Amino acid sequence: MANRKLVAGNWKMHGTAESIGEIVRIAAGVPTGVDVALCLSATLIERAARAVPGFAIGAQDVHSMERGAFTGDVAAHQLHDARASFVIVGHSERRDGHRESDTQVRAKAVAAQGAGLKVILCVGESLEAREAGCAISIVSAQLDASLPPSPVEAVAYEPIWAIGTGRIPSLEDIGEMHAALRSRLIAAYGAAGNVVRLLYGGSVKPSNAAEIFGVADVDGALVGGASMTAADFLPIVEAAAES
Ligand code: PEP
């Protein structure tokens, strides 16, 4: 049986108090039959969670340690305390921009799960790897090395070259990658690997969402730019609910 779809928005370093109205509009428009979360900057999490009780608010990163002298970082239990229920780990903007290794991503996932957060773990290849024909082996190895011992809530396949560019892989390439990742999840978790949701991320828009959700083993999406407004995000959520 197909997994229930999850559509998660990643607001990146956007959003202030003025954005709460948009978050309320998004939460109010979510149809039944699909799970939705918005992953926000730490500064907005608690305000948003109070404004839309029952709607899932998440974070975009977490530190791997429970507490300590880590200036500027946020611990998993602090995110939970702020009412986050999800957290993204291993986004390529963290892996590349902050030199996060697979080992660190795995440790972050373990810490997040320990605090009761649902983990969306990101993997994805560079354009060079895609063009060299080794995307599947590179992303599979990245996943194997980043997965924590307990099943994550979702894995997001995000080709780095598709993030914020308007370009997406062919539907065949998405299907091939998701099938490979599913087999890695089953190798890691046994039957529980079947229910880890596999999200596609990278330039998902209202215009391409339905065809992406039609690909086998695509259990939802991680959406950046198009998650910032109800006008763009809700049609994507509706496409997931209808697929
Ligand atoms: C992302 O940041 O995870 C992302 C997928 O961005 P976009 O949808 O803008 O490509």
Side-chain angles (χ1 to χ4, degrees), residues 3-6 178 182 196-199 217-221:
N3 291 322
R4 182 179 161 102
K5 292 212 166 32
L6 166 65
H178 279 229
R182 177 68 68 206
V196 174
R197 289 180 282 189
L198 271 173
L199 315 183
D217 264 322
V218 172
D219 304 318

Side-chain angles (χ1 to χ4, degrees), residues 10 12 91 93 158 162-165 201-205 222-226:
N10 173 13
K12 311 195 185 200
H91 192 282
E93 288 155 15
E158 297 209 309
I163 295 176
T165 61
S203 295
V204 177
K205 311 274 178 229
L222 181 56
V223 184

Side-chain angles (χ1 to χ4, degrees), residues 11-15 39-46 57-60:
W11 276 30
K12 311 195 185 200
M13 202 168 68
H14 301 289
C39 297
L40 306 173
S41 296
T43 50
L44 262 189
I45 289 172
E46 183 160 13
I57 297 296
Q60 301 167 9

Side-chain angles (χ1 to χ4, degrees), residues 9-239:
N10 173 13
W11 276 30
K12 311 195 185 200
M13 202 168 68
H14 301 289
T16 60
E18 283 179 1
S19 318
I20 296 294
E22 201 61 34
I23 294 168
V24 169
R25 275 189 286 282
I26 289 171
V30 171
T32 56
V34 60
D35 295 330
V36 177
L38 281 180
C39 297
L40 306 173
S41 296
T43 50
L44 262 189
I45 289 172
E46 183 160 13
R47 263 179 294 178
R50 286 187 191 279
V52 286
F55 179 81
I57 297 296
Q60 301 167 9
D61 184 39
V62 63
H63 199 274
S64 59
M65 301 299 284
E66 213 172 302
R67 53 181 46 79
F70 302 106
T71 303
D73 285 312
V74 182
H77 72 90
Q78 294 176 309
L79 295 174
H80 186 264
D81 181 58
R83 306 185 184 200
S85 51
F86 279 80
V87 64
I88 297 170
V89 300
H91 192 282
S92 60
E93 288 155 15
R94 304 283 324 168
R95 289 179 182 268
D96 291 351
H98 297 260
R99 299 187 187 284
E100 288 185 7
S101 66
D102 291 334
T103 307
Q104 284 170 311
V105 171
R106 184 177 188 275
K108 288 179 177 214
V110 169
Q113 290 177 324
L117 299 172
K118 294 177 182 167
V119 170
I120 301 174
L121 191 157
C122 301
V123 290
E125 83 281 1
S126 65
L127 188 57
E128 294 70 34
R130 171 59 62 183
E131 287 176 347
C134 50
I136 290 192
S137 59
I138 283 184
V139 176
S140 297
Q142 202 181 28
L143 183 67
D144 289 349
S146 306
L147 280 178
S150 302
V152 291
E153 181 68 25
V155 167
Y157 165 53
E158 297 209 309
I160 299 166
W161 52 273
I163 295 176
T165 61
R167 297 178 61 190
I168 65 166
S170 69
L171 299 181
E172 292 70 28
D173 285 344
I174 295 174
E176 198 184 9
M177 182 64 79
H178 279 229
L181 297 181
R182 177 68 68 206
S183 71
R184 300 314 308 152
L185 287 169
I186 292 168
Y189 298 137
N194 281 311
V195 295
V196 174
R197 289 180 282 189
L198 271 173
L199 315 183
Y200 167 77
S203 295
V204 177
K205 311 274 178 229
S207 57
N208 61 20
E211 61 180 14
I212 293 171
F213 293 140
V215 175
D217 264 322
V218 172
D219 304 318
L222 181 56
V223 184
S227 69
M228 297 283 306
T229 63
D232 284 335
F233 194 47
L234 288 176
I236 297 172
V237 171
E238 279 153 22

